[in-house]
Amino acid sequence: MSDNHFETTESVANLTNLIELYLHNNDLTKVQDIELCTQIEVLALGRNCFEEINVSKLKKLTHLGLNSNRLTKLVGLENLNLLEEAKLHKNRLTSIGDLNRLSRLETLELRQNQLERIDGLGKLANLSKLNLDANLLPKVLQKQSQSSQEFAANVVAYASKNAILIDDEEEVEDEEEDEDSEEYEYETEEDDGGDDGEDEDSSATPTTSTEIE
């Protein structure tokens, strides 16, 4: 159901056993009754028109794609204790809550938002990819002008506790490789020709056989 021009969806209330939902690259502002799909693990809603969404009841989510929307409000992210990957870049978020309970999180993409602060980074011991560029955060948290080592050190200093490892291979040029086409395209690795024609770091893709857009 991706890559269409859907503006609305029918209720998904009856899909209580739904595990994966791919609706990226549409014109959606809402998925009716998504909060009832409590078994869902992969939710791909990138490149739509969402302004707000509540994911607090989707506690089995491991992969969340909400990139390239118009989000100003994201409710419940801090409740997703099983989350491994969150693609939230290219939105209008000013806050995302405290991340300290997301201990399984490995990838966090938040570039091109309006964040002024971010809490809980120091608890994310499994985090291996982090991008906070183009926000209203301190410059030390913007990777683009630093080496990976400098960036990691600055993130650790900012978070105060728990080293966050940023792979040397995850340089800015790699991140620019797959800006939108990598955004949550699980089970396929097709090039969807993202909205800016850029690609995001393929090395950040989870090592499973799935991939969200």
Side-chain angles (χ1 to χ4, degrees):
M1 297 176 70
S2 300
D3 301 307
N4 290 289
H5 294 286
F6 297 139
E7 296 182 2
T8 60
T9 65
E10 295 182 1
S11 171
V12 294
N14 294 326
L15 304 178
T16 54
N17 294 318
L18 187 68
I19 301 298
E20 300 181 356
L21 180 61
Y22 303 92
L23 286 169
H24 50 276
N25 204 18
N26 282 290
D27 297 312
L28 297 171
T29 58
K30 183 178 181 180
V31 177
Q32 189 174 350
D33 299 318
I34 187 62
E35 67 276 5
L36 300 179
C37 298
T38 55
Q39 302 302 307
I40 196 164
E41 297 176 7
V42 176
L43 182 59
L45 299 175
R47 295 200 299 280
N48 277 287
C49 300
F50 288 88
E51 295 184 2
E52 62 180 72
I53 189 170
N54 187 330
V55 295
S56 58
K57 295 183 179 179
L58 308 182
K59 295 185 179 181
K60 292 193 175 182
L61 271 181
T62 59
H63 295 83
L64 175 62
L66 282 166
N67 53 283
S68 304
N69 276 280
R70 301 171 184 171
L71 283 178
T72 58
K73 188 175 183 181
L74 174 59
V75 177
L77 184 69
E78 65 276 9
N79 295 329
L80 307 183
N81 296 344
L82 301 180
L83 196 65
E84 298 174 4
E85 186 173 40
K87 301 284 189 176
L88 305 174
H89 50 289
K90 294 187 178 179
N91 279 292
R92 301 170 186 175
L93 294 169
T94 57
S95 65
I96 55 169
D98 195 333
L99 304 177
N100 63 24
R101 288 189 288 173
L102 306 187
S103 59
R104 298 192 181 190
L105 195 63
E106 298 175 1
T107 296
L108 179 59
E109 279 285 0
L110 281 166
R111 69 182 185 274
Q112 292 177 259
N113 276 284
Q114 298 173 22
L115 297 172
E116 295 184 359
R117 62 177 293 164
I118 183 166
D119 297 319
L121 285 179
K123 300 289 186 179
L124 306 183
N126 289 316
L127 194 64
S128 61
K129 182 176 180 188
L130 173 66
N131 195 327
L132 300 171
D133 286 358
N135 277 283
L136 303 178
L137 294 162
K139 289 185 178 180
V140 293
L141 295 181
Q142 299 197 31
K143 186 181 176 185
Q144 56 191 358
S145 60
Q146 308 176 67
S147 70
S148 292
Q149 291 88 347
E150 290 172 329
F151 177 64
N154 284 326
V155 169
V156 172
Y158 181 84
S160 298
K161 54 179 82 172
N162 284 353
I164 296 175
L165 304 178
I166 305 296
D167 291 341
D168 291 346
E169 298 175 356
E170 292 177 358
E171 298 296 344
V172 175
E173 55 268 24
D174 294 327
E175 289 168 2
E176 292 175 347
E177 254 177 40
D178 190 328
E179 223 166 68
D180 279 323
S181 60
E182 180 243 359
E183 297 152 26
Y184 296 129
E185 207 176 84
Y186 286 89
E187 300 192 58
T188 67
E189 293 185 322
E190 62 186 16
D191 179 4
D192 61 10
D195 51 2
D196 328 53
E198 296 179 341
D199 286 329
E200 190 172 358
D201 182 2
S202 59
S203 68
T205 304
T207 55
T208 63
S209 59
T210 57
E211 198 179 313
I212 335 182
E213 182 168 337

